[in-house]
mmCIF file of all heavy atoms in Angstrom:
data_model
loop_
_atom_site.group_PDB
_atom_site.id
_atom_site.type_symbol
_atom_site.label_atom_id
_atom_site.label_comp_id
_atom_site.label_asym_id
_atom_site.label_seq_id
_atom_site.Cartn_x
_atom_site.Cartn_y
_atom_site.Cartn_z
ATOM 1 N N THR A 231 -227.487 216.471 -69.255
ATOM 2 C CA THR A 231 -228.276 215.416 -68.632
ATOM 3 C C THR A 231 -229.561 215.193 -69.409
ATOM 4 O O THR A 231 -230.236 216.150 -69.821
ATOM 5 C CB THR A 231 -228.591 215.804 -67.178
ATOM 6 O OG1 THR A 231 -227.351 216.041 -66.487
ATOM 7 C CG2 THR A 231 -229.369 214.707 -66.471
ATOM 8 N N THR A 234 -233.081 217.466 -70.106
ATOM 9 C CA THR A 234 -232.933 218.813 -69.544
ATOM 10 C C THR A 234 -232.672 219.888 -70.584
ATOM 11 O O THR A 234 -232.577 221.065 -70.230
ATOM 12 C CB THR A 234 -231.767 218.841 -68.536
ATOM 13 O OG1 THR A 234 -230.545 218.548 -69.233
ATOM 14 C CG2 THR A 234 -231.977 217.835 -67.423
ATOM 15 N N PRO A 287 -232.285 218.773 -45.563
ATOM 16 C CA PRO A 287 -233.639 219.262 -45.818
ATOM 17 C C PRO A 287 -234.625 218.674 -44.812
ATOM 18 O O PRO A 287 -234.279 217.756 -44.055
ATOM 19 C CB PRO A 287 -233.921 218.764 -47.245
ATOM 20 C CG PRO A 287 -233.041 217.573 -47.418
ATOM 21 C CD PRO A 287 -231.808 217.851 -46.612
ATOM 22 N N VAL A 496 -225.454 227.804 -56.602
ATOM 23 C CA VAL A 496 -225.916 226.996 -55.471
ATOM 24 C C VAL A 496 -225.472 227.647 -54.165
ATOM 25 O O VAL A 496 -224.307 228.015 -54.005
ATOM 26 C CB VAL A 496 -225.352 225.563 -55.563
ATOM 27 C CG1 VAL A 496 -225.743 224.742 -54.340
ATOM 28 C CG2 VAL A 496 -225.830 224.881 -56.840
ATOM 29 N N VAL A 498 -226.734 226.266 -50.954
ATOM 30 C CA VAL A 498 -226.784 225.252 -49.890
ATOM 31 C C VAL A 498 -226.680 223.874 -50.520
ATOM 32 O O VAL A 498 -227.332 223.600 -51.535
ATOM 33 C CB VAL A 498 -228.086 225.339 -49.064
ATOM 34 C CG1 VAL A 498 -228.227 224.124 -48.145
ATOM 35 C CG2 VAL A 498 -228.153 226.622 -48.248
ATOM 36 N N MET A 499 -225.854 223.006 -49.928
ATOM 37 C CA MET A 499 -225.902 221.567 -50.168
ATOM 38 C C MET A 499 -225.935 220.914 -48.795
ATOM 39 O O MET A 499 -225.080 221.211 -47.955
ATOM 40 C CB MET A 499 -224.700 221.063 -50.972
ATOM 41 C CG MET A 499 -224.614 221.564 -52.395
ATOM 42 S SD MET A 499 -223.434 220.643 -53.449
ATOM 43 C CE MET A 499 -221.873 220.952 -52.608
ATOM 44 N N ALA A 500 -226.918 220.053 -48.541
ATOM 45 C CA ALA A 500 -227.073 219.468 -47.210
ATOM 46 C C ALA A 500 -227.780 218.131 -47.311
ATOM 47 O O ALA A 500 -228.560 217.893 -48.231
ATOM 48 C CB ALA A 500 -227.853 220.417 -46.301
ATOM 49 N N ARG A 501 -227.522 217.259 -46.313
ATOM 50 C CA ARG A 501 -228.070 215.902 -46.349
ATOM 51 C C ARG A 501 -228.611 215.514 -44.978
ATOM 52 O O ARG A 501 -227.999 215.853 -43.952
ATOM 53 C CB ARG A 501 -226.988 214.889 -46.736
ATOM 54 C CG ARG A 501 -226.081 215.289 -47.838
ATOM 55 C CD ARG A 501 -224.880 216.115 -47.426
ATOM 56 N NE ARG A 501 -223.669 215.333 -47.240
ATOM 57 C CZ ARG A 501 -222.643 215.722 -46.484
ATOM 58 N NH1 ARG A 501 -222.660 216.871 -45.851
ATOM 59 N NH2 ARG A 501 -221.588 214.957 -46.359
ATOM 60 N N ASN A 502 -229.719 214.800 -44.956
ATOM 61 C CA ASN A 502 -230.277 214.361 -43.677
ATOM 62 C C ASN A 502 -230.146 212.855 -43.461
ATOM 63 O O ASN A 502 -230.731 212.305 -42.519
ATOM 64 C CB ASN A 502 -231.738 214.799 -43.542
ATOM 65 C CG ASN A 502 -232.615 214.289 -44.669
ATOM 66 O OD1 ASN A 502 -232.399 213.194 -45.194
ATOM 67 N ND2 ASN A 502 -233.620 215.070 -45.053
ATOM 68 N N GLY A 503 -229.418 212.171 -44.325
ATOM 69 C CA GLY A 503 -229.249 210.737 -44.211
ATOM 70 C C GLY A 503 -230.259 209.946 -45.008
ATOM 71 O O GLY A 503 -230.116 208.737 -45.179
ATOM 72 N N THR A 504 -231.280 210.641 -45.503
ATOM 73 C CA THR A 504 -232.289 210.042 -46.370
ATOM 74 C C THR A 504 -232.281 210.732 -47.725
ATOM 75 O O THR A 504 -232.248 210.084 -48.771
ATOM 76 C CB THR A 504 -233.690 210.145 -45.741
ATOM 77 O OG1 THR A 504 -233.687 209.515 -44.453
ATOM 78 C CG2 THR A 504 -234.740 209.484 -46.632
ATOM 79 N N GLU A 505 -232.294 212.066 -47.686
ATOM 80 C CA GLU A 505 -232.284 212.864 -48.909
ATOM 81 C C GLU A 505 -231.109 213.836 -48.908
ATOM 82 O O GLU A 505 -230.637 214.273 -47.855
ATOM 83 C CB GLU A 505 -233.577 213.664 -49.047
ATOM 84 C CG GLU A 505 -234.809 212.842 -49.354
ATOM 85 C CD GLU A 505 -236.013 213.716 -49.592
ATOM 86 O OE1 GLU A 505 -236.259 214.631 -48.780
ATOM 87 O OE2 GLU A 505 -236.726 213.499 -50.605
ATOM 88 N N PHE A 506 -230.666 214.162 -50.108
ATOM 89 C CA PHE A 506 -229.694 215.228 -50.340
ATOM 90 C C PHE A 506 -230.487 216.405 -50.899
ATOM 91 O O PHE A 506 -231.300 216.234 -51.804
ATOM 92 C CB PHE A 506 -228.650 214.773 -51.363
ATOM 93 C CG PHE A 506 -227.423 215.634 -51.438
ATOM 94 C CD1 PHE A 506 -226.184 215.127 -51.083
ATOM 95 C CD2 PHE A 506 -227.484 216.960 -51.877
ATOM 96 C CE1 PHE A 506 -225.038 215.909 -51.158
ATOM 97 C CE2 PHE A 506 -226.357 217.742 -51.954
ATOM 98 C CZ PHE A 506 -225.129 217.206 -51.585
ATOM 99 N N GLY A 507 -230.266 217.593 -50.356
ATOM 100 C CA GLY A 507 -230.994 218.768 -50.822
ATOM 101 C C GLY A 507 -230.075 219.921 -51.158
ATOM 102 O O GLY A 507 -229.016 220.079 -50.552
ATOM 103 N N ILE A 508 -230.475 220.717 -52.148
ATOM 104 C CA ILE A 508 -229.740 221.936 -52.477
ATOM 105 C C ILE A 508 -230.701 223.112 -52.533
ATOM 106 O O ILE A 508 -231.923 222.939 -52.676
ATOM 107 C CB ILE A 508 -228.970 221.828 -53.816
ATOM 108 C CG1 ILE A 508 -229.937 221.848 -55.010
ATOM 109 C CG2 ILE A 508 -228.089 220.586 -53.843
ATOM 110 C CD1 ILE A 508 -229.233 221.998 -56.353
ATOM 111 N N GLN A 509 -230.165 224.299 -52.394
ATOM 112 C CA GLN A 509 -230.890 225.542 -52.635
ATOM 113 C C GLN A 509 -230.054 226.400 -53.568
ATOM 114 O O GLN A 509 -228.825 226.262 -53.611
ATOM 115 C CB GLN A 509 -231.150 226.295 -51.324
ATOM 116 C CG GLN A 509 -232.072 225.564 -50.363
ATOM 117 C CD GLN A 509 -232.270 226.312 -49.048
ATOM 118 O OE1 GLN A 509 -231.585 227.299 -48.755
ATOM 119 N NE2 GLN A 509 -233.200 225.835 -48.240
ATOM 120 N N TRP A 517 -236.213 223.853 -51.371
ATOM 121 C CA TRP A 517 -235.312 222.708 -51.432
ATOM 122 C C TRP A 517 -235.559 221.891 -52.693
ATOM 123 O O TRP A 517 -236.706 221.692 -53.097
ATOM 124 C CB TRP A 517 -235.520 221.797 -50.223
ATOM 125 C CG TRP A 517 -235.022 222.341 -48.921
ATOM 126 C CD1 TRP A 517 -235.762 222.987 -47.966
ATOM 127 C CD2 TRP A 517 -233.682 222.274 -48.412
ATOM 128 N NE1 TRP A 517 -234.972 223.324 -46.902
ATOM 129 C CE2 TRP A 517 -233.690 222.901 -47.145
ATOM 130 C CE3 TRP A 517 -232.489 221.750 -48.908
ATOM 131 C CZ2 TRP A 517 -232.541 223.016 -46.356
ATOM 132 C CZ3 TRP A 517 -231.342 221.862 -48.130
ATOM 133 C CH2 TRP A 517 -231.365 222.492 -46.868
ATOM 134 N N PHE A 518 -234.476 221.388 -53.276
ATOM 135 C CA PHE A 518 -234.541 220.458 -54.406
ATOM 136 C C PHE A 518 -233.777 219.206 -53.967
ATOM 137 O O PHE A 518 -232.596 219.286 -53.633
ATOM 138 C CB PHE A 518 -233.934 221.081 -55.659
ATOM 139 C CG PHE A 518 -234.573 222.396 -56.007
ATOM 140 C CD1 PHE A 518 -233.977 223.593 -55.616
ATOM 141 C CD2 PHE A 518 -235.786 222.436 -56.674
ATOM 142 C CE1 PHE A 518 -234.576 224.806 -55.905
ATOM 143 C CE2 PHE A 518 -236.389 223.652 -56.979
ATOM 144 C CZ PHE A 518 -235.789 224.840 -56.584
ATOM 145 N N THR A 519 -234.467 218.085 -53.935
ATOM 146 C CA THR A 519 -233.911 216.909 -53.281
ATOM 147 C C THR A 519 -233.825 215.691 -54.192
ATOM 148 O O THR A 519 -234.464 215.604 -55.228
ATOM 149 C CB THR A 519 -234.757 216.533 -52.049
ATOM 150 O OG1 THR A 519 -236.085 216.196 -52.479
ATOM 151 C CG2 THR A 519 -234.831 217.683 -51.053
ATOM 152 N N GLY A 520 -233.020 214.747 -53.762
ATOM 153 C CA GLY A 520 -232.884 213.438 -54.384
ATOM 154 C C GLY A 520 -232.375 212.489 -53.325
ATOM 155 O O GLY A 520 -231.994 212.911 -52.216
ATOM 156 N N PRO A 521 -232.336 211.212 -53.601
ATOM 157 C CA PRO A 521 -231.886 210.248 -52.595
ATOM 158 C C PRO A 521 -230.411 210.422 -52.243
ATOM 159 O O PRO A 521 -229.559 210.537 -53.123
ATOM 160 C CB PRO A 521 -232.145 208.889 -53.266
ATOM 161 C CG PRO A 521 -232.173 209.184 -54.741
ATOM 162 C CD PRO A 521 -232.740 210.552 -54.871
ATOM 163 N N ALA A 522 -230.103 210.452 -50.940
ATOM 164 C CA ALA A 522 -228.712 210.549 -50.500
ATOM 165 C C ALA A 522 -227.962 209.290 -50.915
ATOM 166 O O ALA A 522 -228.487 208.182 -50.839
ATOM 167 C CB ALA A 522 -228.654 210.724 -48.982
ATOM 168 N N GLN A 523 -226.724 209.480 -51.353
ATOM 169 C CA GLN A 523 -225.890 208.371 -51.801
ATOM 170 C C GLN A 523 -224.985 207.883 -50.665
ATOM 171 O O GLN A 523 -224.631 208.660 -49.780
ATOM 172 C CB GLN A 523 -225.021 208.815 -52.984
ATOM 173 C CG GLN A 523 -225.796 209.510 -54.094
ATOM 174 C CD GLN A 523 -226.816 208.606 -54.759
ATOM 175 O OE1 GLN A 523 -226.460 207.567 -55.304
ATOM 176 N NE2 GLN A 523 -228.082 208.990 -54.702
ATOM 177 N N THR A 524 -224.578 206.636 -50.693
ATOM 178 C CA THR A 524 -223.654 206.106 -49.691
ATOM 179 C C THR A 524 -222.222 206.359 -50.153
ATOM 180 O O THR A 524 -221.854 206.009 -51.275
ATOM 181 C CB THR A 524 -223.866 204.598 -49.480
ATOM 182 O OG1 THR A 524 -225.222 204.385 -49.063
ATOM 183 C CG2 THR A 524 -222.924 204.069 -48.406
ATOM 184 N N PRO A 525 -221.385 206.982 -49.314
ATOM 185 C CA PRO A 525 -220.005 207.282 -49.719
ATOM 186 C C PRO A 525 -219.196 206.022 -50.008
ATOM 187 O O PRO A 525 -219.462 204.942 -49.465
ATOM 188 C CB PRO A 525 -219.434 208.018 -48.495
ATOM 189 C CG PRO A 525 -220.633 208.550 -47.771
ATOM 190 C CD PRO A 525 -221.710 207.524 -47.991
ATOM 191 N N PRO A 540 -226.528 206.135 -45.787
ATOM 192 C CA PRO A 540 -226.332 207.132 -46.842
ATOM 193 C C PRO A 540 -225.861 208.469 -46.272
ATOM 194 O O PRO A 540 -226.021 208.755 -45.079
ATOM 195 C CB PRO A 540 -227.720 207.225 -47.487
ATOM 196 C CG PRO A 540 -228.321 205.878 -47.261
ATOM 197 C CD PRO A 540 -227.828 205.461 -45.906
ATOM 198 N N ASP A 541 -225.304 209.279 -47.123
ATOM 199 C CA ASP A 541 -224.674 210.554 -46.796
ATOM 200 C C ASP A 541 -225.544 211.413 -45.885
ATOM 201 O O ASP A 541 -226.767 211.515 -46.067
ATOM 202 C CB ASP A 541 -224.411 211.284 -48.119
ATOM 203 C CG ASP A 541 -223.407 212.383 -47.984
ATOM 204 O OD1 ASP A 541 -222.624 212.370 -47.032
ATOM 205 O OD2 ASP A 541 -223.406 213.260 -48.872
ATOM 206 N N ILE A 542 -224.909 212.073 -44.890
ATOM 207 C CA ILE A 542 -225.653 212.879 -43.931
ATOM 208 C C ILE A 542 -224.813 214.069 -43.473
ATOM 209 O O ILE A 542 -223.584 213.971 -43.374
ATOM 210 C CB ILE A 542 -226.093 212.012 -42.725
ATOM 211 C CG1 ILE A 542 -227.005 212.802 -41.770
ATOM 212 C CG2 ILE A 542 -224.897 211.435 -41.988
ATOM 213 C CD1 ILE A 542 -227.657 211.927 -40.706
ATOM 214 N N ALA A 546 -221.448 219.667 -46.013
ATOM 215 C CA ALA A 546 -221.210 219.947 -47.436
ATOM 216 C C ALA A 546 -221.315 221.436 -47.734
ATOM 217 O O ALA A 546 -221.067 221.856 -48.873
ATOM 218 C CB ALA A 546 -222.199 219.169 -48.307
ATOM 219 N N ILE A 607 -220.816 227.201 -57.342
ATOM 220 C CA ILE A 607 -221.315 226.126 -58.200
ATOM 221 C C ILE A 607 -222.483 226.646 -59.030
ATOM 222 O O ILE A 607 -223.416 227.248 -58.502
ATOM 223 C CB ILE A 607 -221.785 224.932 -57.350
ATOM 224 C CG1 ILE A 607 -220.639 224.408 -56.478
ATOM 225 C CG2 ILE A 607 -222.338 223.817 -58.233
ATOM 226 C CD1 ILE A 607 -221.097 223.479 -55.365
ATOM 227 N N VAL A 609 -225.597 225.678 -61.404
ATOM 228 C CA VAL A 609 -226.486 224.567 -61.766
ATOM 229 C C VAL A 609 -226.386 224.252 -63.250
ATOM 230 O O VAL A 609 -226.356 223.078 -63.656
ATOM 231 C CB VAL A 609 -227.939 224.901 -61.385
ATOM 232 C CG1 VAL A 609 -228.914 223.893 -61.998
ATOM 233 C CG2 VAL A 609 -228.109 224.916 -59.871
ATOM 234 N N VAL A 612 -223.286 222.182 -64.002
ATOM 235 C CA VAL A 612 -223.426 220.797 -63.554
ATOM 236 C C VAL A 612 -224.266 220.011 -64.553
ATOM 237 O O VAL A 612 -223.899 218.914 -64.983
ATOM 238 C CB VAL A 612 -224.057 220.746 -62.149
ATOM 239 C CG1 VAL A 612 -224.369 219.296 -61.754
ATOM 240 C CG2 VAL A 612 -223.143 221.392 -61.117
ATOM 241 N N ILE A 613 -225.399 220.583 -64.951
ATOM 242 C CA ILE A 613 -226.288 219.903 -65.901
ATOM 243 C C ILE A 613 -225.602 219.752 -67.256
ATOM 244 O O ILE A 613 -225.659 218.691 -67.894
ATOM 245 C CB ILE A 613 -227.594 220.692 -66.068
ATOM 246 C CG1 ILE A 613 -228.395 220.700 -64.756
ATOM 247 C CG2 ILE A 613 -228.431 220.117 -67.213
ATOM 248 C CD1 ILE A 613 -228.976 219.370 -64.355
ATOM 249 N N GLY A 616 -222.366 217.318 -66.753
ATOM 250 C CA GLY A 616 -222.541 216.033 -66.091
ATOM 251 C C GLY A 616 -221.593 215.826 -64.928
ATOM 252 O O GLY A 616 -221.596 214.762 -64.297
ATOM 253 N N VAL A 617 -220.765 216.827 -64.628
ATOM 254 C CA VAL A 617 -219.820 216.745 -63.506
ATOM 255 C C VAL A 617 -220.537 217.155 -62.225
ATOM 256 O O VAL A 617 -221.107 218.244 -62.145
ATOM 257 C CB VAL A 617 -218.605 217.663 -63.738
ATOM 258 C CG1 VAL A 617 -217.683 217.650 -62.517
ATOM 259 C CG2 VAL A 617 -217.841 217.232 -64.984
ATOM 260 N N LEU A 618 -220.515 216.297 -61.226
ATOM 261 C CA LEU A 618 -221.177 216.573 -59.954
ATOM 262 C C LEU A 618 -220.168 217.063 -58.919
ATOM 263 O O LEU A 618 -218.990 216.687 -58.961
ATOM 264 C CB LEU A 618 -221.869 215.314 -59.436
ATOM 265 C CG LEU A 618 -223.127 214.898 -60.209
ATOM 266 C CD1 LEU A 618 -223.494 213.450 -59.908
ATOM 267 C CD2 LEU A 618 -224.294 215.824 -59.865
ATOM 268 N N PRO A 619 -220.598 217.894 -57.977
ATOM 269 C CA PRO A 619 -219.687 218.350 -56.922
ATOM 270 C C PRO A 619 -219.081 217.182 -56.146
ATOM 271 O O PRO A 619 -219.777 216.213 -55.824
ATOM 272 C CB PRO A 619 -220.595 219.200 -56.019
ATOM 273 C CG PRO A 619 -221.699 219.665 -56.921
ATOM 274 C CD PRO A 619 -221.933 218.530 -57.872
ATOM 275 N N GLN A 620 -217.793 217.286 -55.846
ATOM 276 C CA GLN A 620 -217.076 216.248 -55.106
ATOM 277 C C GLN A 620 -217.077 216.588 -53.623
ATOM 278 O O GLN A 620 -216.652 217.673 -53.228
ATOM 279 C CB GLN A 620 -215.642 216.141 -55.606
ATOM 280 C CG GLN A 620 -214.809 215.099 -54.885
ATOM 281 C CD GLN A 620 -215.265 213.690 -55.210
ATOM 282 O OE1 GLN A 620 -215.050 213.192 -56.305
ATOM 283 N NE2 GLN A 620 -215.904 213.045 -54.249
ATOM 284 N N ILE A 621 -217.546 215.664 -52.798
ATOM 285 C CA ILE A 621 -217.643 215.882 -51.353
ATOM 286 C C ILE A 621 -216.857 214.784 -50.643
ATOM 287 O O ILE A 621 -216.980 213.608 -50.993
ATOM 288 C CB ILE A 621 -219.109 215.848 -50.895
ATOM 289 C CG1 ILE A 621 -219.908 216.979 -51.565
ATOM 290 C CG2 ILE A 621 -219.222 215.951 -49.371
ATOM 291 C CD1 ILE A 621 -221.411 216.822 -51.440
ATOM 292 N N LEU A 639 -215.736 209.379 -50.080
ATOM 293 C CA LEU A 639 -216.095 210.382 -51.086
ATOM 294 C C LEU A 639 -217.505 210.116 -51.579
ATOM 295 O O LEU A 639 -217.935 208.967 -51.693
ATOM 296 C CB LEU A 639 -215.128 210.324 -52.264
ATOM 297 C CG LEU A 639 -213.655 210.536 -51.941
ATOM 298 C CD1 LEU A 639 -212.805 210.319 -53.185
ATOM 299 C CD2 LEU A 639 -213.419 211.936 -51.376
ATOM 300 N N VAL A 640 -218.215 211.184 -51.915
ATOM 301 C CA VAL A 640 -219.594 211.048 -52.377
ATOM 302 C C VAL A 640 -219.940 212.243 -53.246
ATOM 303 O O VAL A 640 -219.284 213.289 -53.178
ATOM 304 C CB VAL A 640 -220.553 210.956 -51.161
ATOM 305 C CG1 VAL A 640 -220.701 212.302 -50.465
ATOM 306 C CG2 VAL A 640 -221.906 210.387 -51.553
ATOM 307 N N THR A 641 -220.947 212.108 -54.079
ATOM 308 C CA THR A 641 -221.481 213.223 -54.871
ATOM 309 C C THR A 641 -222.985 213.311 -54.644
ATOM 310 O O THR A 641 -223.624 212.336 -54.246
ATOM 311 C CB THR A 641 -221.212 213.026 -56.379
ATOM 312 O OG1 THR A 641 -221.816 211.798 -56.797
ATOM 313 C CG2 THR A 641 -219.723 212.999 -56.670
ATOM 314 N N PRO A 642 -223.574 214.467 -54.908
ATOM 315 C CA PRO A 642 -225.031 214.591 -54.811
ATOM 316 C C PRO A 642 -225.702 213.815 -55.939
ATOM 317 O O PRO A 642 -225.084 213.547 -56.979
ATOM 318 C CB PRO A 642 -225.276 216.096 -54.986
ATOM 319 C CG PRO A 642 -223.944 216.744 -54.878
ATOM 320 C CD PRO A 642 -222.935 215.731 -55.279
ATOM 321 N N PRO A 643 -226.975 213.488 -55.785
ATOM 322 C CA PRO A 643 -227.725 212.914 -56.910
ATOM 323 C C PRO A 643 -228.039 214.006 -57.930
ATOM 324 O O PRO A 643 -228.315 215.149 -57.554
ATOM 325 C CB PRO A 643 -228.996 212.375 -56.253
ATOM 326 C CG PRO A 643 -229.188 213.232 -55.047
ATOM 327 C CD PRO A 643 -227.799 213.588 -54.566
ATOM 328 N N MET A 644 -227.998 213.669 -59.209
ATOM 329 C CA MET A 644 -228.273 214.658 -60.239
ATOM 330 C C MET A 644 -229.691 215.211 -60.133
ATOM 331 O O MET A 644 -229.960 216.350 -60.565
ATOM 332 C CB MET A 644 -228.048 214.035 -61.627
ATOM 333 C CG MET A 644 -228.191 215.010 -62.787
ATOM 334 S SD MET A 644 -227.013 216.400 -62.747
ATOM 335 C CE MET A 644 -225.525 215.587 -63.381
ATOM 336 N N GLU A 645 -230.603 214.456 -59.516
ATOM 337 C CA GLU A 645 -232.000 214.914 -59.402
ATOM 338 C C GLU A 645 -232.104 216.287 -58.747
ATOM 339 O O GLU A 645 -233.000 217.069 -59.080
ATOM 340 C CB GLU A 645 -232.822 213.909 -58.578
ATOM 341 C CG GLU A 645 -233.075 212.589 -59.258
ATOM 342 C CD GLU A 645 -232.088 211.531 -58.845
ATOM 343 O OE1 GLU A 645 -230.871 211.837 -58.776
ATOM 344 O OE2 GLU A 645 -232.529 210.384 -58.570
ATOM 345 N N CYS A 646 -231.213 216.573 -57.781
ATOM 346 C CA CYS A 646 -231.258 217.877 -57.108
ATOM 347 C C CYS A 646 -231.076 219.015 -58.113
ATOM 348 O O CYS A 646 -231.813 220.017 -58.080
ATOM 349 C CB CYS A 646 -230.157 217.964 -56.062
ATOM 350 S SG CYS A 646 -230.235 216.743 -54.753
ATOM 351 N N PHE A 647 -230.119 218.860 -58.998
ATOM 352 C CA PHE A 647 -229.788 219.920 -59.949
ATOM 353 C C PHE A 647 -230.828 220.007 -61.068
ATOM 354 O O PHE A 647 -231.127 221.094 -61.562
ATOM 355 C CB PHE A 647 -228.381 219.689 -60.495
ATOM 356 C CG PHE A 647 -227.336 219.750 -59.422
ATOM 357 C CD1 PHE A 647 -226.930 218.593 -58.769
ATOM 358 C CD2 PHE A 647 -226.790 220.955 -59.035
ATOM 359 C CE1 PHE A 647 -225.995 218.638 -57.754
ATOM 360 C CE2 PHE A 647 -225.841 221.015 -58.017
ATOM 361 C CZ PHE A 647 -225.454 219.851 -57.377
ATOM 362 N N VAL A 648 -231.395 218.866 -61.432
ATOM 363 C CA VAL A 648 -232.467 218.874 -62.427
ATOM 364 C C VAL A 648 -233.671 219.627 -61.882
ATOM 365 O O VAL A 648 -234.278 220.458 -62.573
ATOM 366 C CB VAL A 648 -232.848 217.436 -62.823
ATOM 367 C CG1 VAL A 648 -234.096 217.440 -63.701
ATOM 368 C CG2 VAL A 648 -231.689 216.751 -63.546
ATOM 369 N N GLY A 649 -234.035 219.354 -60.622
ATOM 370 C CA GLY A 649 -235.156 220.070 -60.017
ATOM 371 C C GLY A 649 -234.915 221.558 -59.923
ATOM 372 O O GLY A 649 -235.813 222.374 -60.198
ATOM 373 N N ALA A 650 -233.694 221.935 -59.528
ATOM 374 C CA ALA A 650 -233.374 223.359 -59.448
ATOM 375 C C ALA A 650 -233.413 224.012 -60.820
ATOM 376 O O ALA A 650 -233.905 225.146 -60.981
ATOM 377 C CB ALA A 650 -231.998 223.540 -58.815
ATOM 378 N N LEU A 651 -232.902 223.315 -61.837
ATOM 379 C CA LEU A 651 -232.911 223.859 -63.201
ATOM 380 C C LEU A 651 -234.340 224.107 -63.672
ATOM 381 O O LEU A 651 -234.641 225.158 -64.268
ATOM 382 C CB LEU A 651 -232.210 222.891 -64.150
ATOM 383 C CG LEU A 651 -232.099 223.368 -65.603
ATOM 384 C CD1 LEU A 651 -231.018 224.429 -65.727
ATOM 385 C CD2 LEU A 651 -231.805 222.189 -66.533
#
Side-chain angles (χ1 to χ4, degrees):
T231 303
T234 63
V496 176
V498 170
M499 294 194 298
R501 317 86 97 203
N502 57 33
T504 303
E505 290 185 312
F506 194 115
I508 72 170
Q509 295 178 350
W517 288 97
F518 305 97
T519 62
Q523 310 296 301
T524 301
D541 198 21
I542 186 170
I607 302 165
V609 169
V612 173
I613 294 291
V617 176
L618 288 163
Q620 179 69 72
I621 298 166
L639 302 175
V640 73
T641 59
M644 185 61 79
E645 290 97 316
C646 300
F647 298 92
V648 172
L651 182 76

